């Protein structure tokens, strides 16, 4: 119904004629990069190249499903645009391709194409993330709610002239779509990074057959100590093992006392 209604408008018919097939345009990165630095086009190319994605790849992934139900009346053109703007939506919203980012995209999309399925997938996915991070202080559900709020003010991107957006500055495109930065989502990502290491640990296997002084092993502990310098509750777990053959008591003493002096707090003698 929404596709038919849009195509009955002058604007809909104009976009239908001007942009019959987006993937060819979207995958021509050489042409897109001719736009000014800082443009939406550059942000799109950077994202797609970094993630190893192409618009043609999305077409292939959905081709079998679409061939079975093809409507030669503009409806499929509208459906294909819904498919093609998924990766564009990542750029507009600022959500990544991590698990939570994809759920936030679903929540945001609810107001682009109202469907209980979008909200269902978003909530199930977010609850799974929450279940895997029960002890985390990250506001995971808050990020999902933020995504739905942000999506309410955005006009339907599928019904906008997509190609003309690519030459515009990225922030201008976001302003046109009334899409603020996803602050709660970014907070979740920052907290996940902070909490990512639950117990730093390493071992001195490198000196099972010594090739240099045992003191070089202390560099390993210095790196761990630097990594947890702002997390006083993190205890460095270190294997300091009496290897045989090839290790004399003096070697082991150097390893042990060096490790102790450079931050080893949980001692494992194997």
């Amino acid at each position: 119904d929404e596709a038919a209604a849009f195509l009955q408008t002058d604007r809909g018919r104009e976009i239908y004629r001007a942009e019959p097939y987006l993937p060819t345009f979207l995958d021509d990165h050489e042409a897109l990069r001719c736009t000014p630095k800082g443009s939406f086009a550059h942000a799109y190319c950077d994202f797609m190249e970094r993630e190893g994605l192409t618009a043609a790849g999305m077409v292939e992934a959905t081709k079998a499903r679409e061939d079975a139900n093809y409507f030669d009346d503009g409806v499929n053109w509208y459906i294909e645009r819904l498919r093609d703007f998924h990766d564009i939506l990542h750029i507009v919203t600022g959500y990544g391709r991590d698990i939570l980012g994809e759920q936030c995209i679903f929540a945001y999309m609810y107001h682009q194409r109202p469907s209980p399925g979008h909200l269902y997938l978003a909530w199930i996915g977010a609850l799974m993330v929450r279940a895997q991070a029960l002890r985390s202080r990250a506001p995971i559900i808050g990020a999902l709610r933020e995504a739905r709020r942000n999506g309410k003010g955005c006009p339907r991107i599928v019904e906008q002239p997509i190609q003309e957006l690519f030459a515009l500055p990225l922030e201008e495109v976001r302003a046109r779509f009334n899409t603020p930065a996803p602050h709660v989502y970014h907070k979740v990502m920052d907290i996940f990074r902070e909490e990512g290491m639950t117990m730093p640990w390493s071992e001195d296997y490198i000196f099972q057959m010594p090739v240099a002084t045992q003191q070089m092993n202390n560099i390993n502990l210095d790196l761990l100590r630097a990594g947890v310098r702002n997390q006083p509750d993190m205890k460095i777990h270190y294997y300091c093992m009496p290897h045989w053959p090839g290790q004399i008591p003096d070697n082991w003493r150097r390893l042990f006392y060096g490790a102790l002096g450079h931050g080893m707090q949980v001692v494992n003698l194997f």
Side-chain angles (χ1 to χ4, degrees):
D1 292 345
E2 60 200 43
F6 178 64
L7 288 165
Q8 287 174 4
T9 66
D10 291 341
R11 177 182 176 82
R13 288 190 292 270
E14 181 181 346
I15 295 175
Y16 179 68
R17 289 191 297 268
E19 299 179 353
Y21 188 71
L22 284 175
T24 303
F25 169 80
L26 295 173
D27 282 342
D28 189 356
H29 289 196
E30 184 177 353
L32 292 177
R33 288 200 180 275
C34 290
T35 58
K37 293 288 187 182
S39 68
F40 187 79
H42 277 272
Y44 175 81
C45 292
D46 290 344
F47 174 81
M48 297 297 279
E49 291 167 11
R50 181 176 66 250
E51 299 295 335
L53 301 172
T54 63
M58 182 70 84
V59 173
E60 283 299 314
T62 59
K63 188 171 180 3
R65 185 174 66 235
E66 291 178 354
D67 285 348
N69 300 285
Y70 191 84
F71 303 97
D72 192 18
D73 56 3
V75 172
N76 263 70
W77 170 82
Y78 192 92
I79 293 171
E80 287 170 356
R81 285 174 73 82
L82 289 168
R83 173 202 65 203
D84 297 335
F85 88 74
H86 177 87
D87 290 323
I88 292 173
L89 208 54
H90 277 285
I91 316 302
V92 172
T93 61
Y95 292 115
R97 292 185 68 230
D98 55 276
I99 295 175
L100 182 60
E102 292 291 358
Q103 310 322 307
C104 289
I105 288 287
F106 277 125
Y108 187 98
M109 281 177 59
Y110 179 73
H111 300 283
Q112 292 288 312
R113 189 183 185 189
S115 166
H118 287 146
L119 287 184
Y120 174 80
L121 290 172
W123 277 102
I124 290 296
L127 289 172
M128 289 176 65
V129 175
R130 178 78 275 173
Q132 293 173 1
L134 286 174
R135 299 178 63 185
S136 175
R137 58 189 174 85
I140 295 166
I141 303 304
L144 197 71
R145 289 175 174 153
E146 176 190 52
R148 188 173 177 189
R149 285 196 306 271
N150 289 352
K152 286 182 179 179
C154 180
R156 285 192 176 176
I157 298 177
V158 69
E159 297 180 0
Q160 310 303 313
I162 298 296
Q163 294 182 16
E164 70 179 37
L165 300 175
F166 278 72
L168 300 176
L170 173 59
E171 293 309 317
E172 183 176 334
V173 173
R174 287 174 171 166
R176 179 178 293 195
F177 291 137
N178 303 316
T179 301
H183 297 295
V184 180
Y185 166 77
H186 287 154
K187 183 177 181 181
V188 171
M189 294 297 105
D190 288 342
I191 291 174
F192 278 175
R193 292 185 187 98
E194 292 173 9
E195 297 176 342
M197 183 180 289
T198 57
M199 175 178 278
W201 72 272
S202 188
E203 55 201 23
D204 61 5
Y205 268 120
I206 188 171
F207 284 104
Q208 185 171 2
M209 296 183 67
V211 293
T213 67
Q214 285 74 40
Q215 286 87 339
M216 287 181 62
N217 195 58
N218 300 333
I219 297 171
N220 195 10
L221 280 146
D222 292 340
L223 291 171
L224 290 175
R225 201 169 72 250
V228 298
R229 63 185 180 278
N230 297 320
Q231 301 179 67
D233 293 334
M234 291 287 183
K235 305 300 181 186
I236 298 176
H237 183 152
Y238 209 73
Y239 286 79
C240 192
M241 294 172 281
H243 302 293
W244 185 264
Q247 189 185 63
I248 60 176
D250 282 350
N251 294 159
W252 183 83
R253 279 195 292 270
R254 289 192 191 100
L255 286 170
F256 178 81
Y257 289 112
L260 200 61
H262 284 258
M264 175 177 67
Q265 293 161 294
V266 179
V267 182
N268 194 321
L269 302 181
F270 206 68

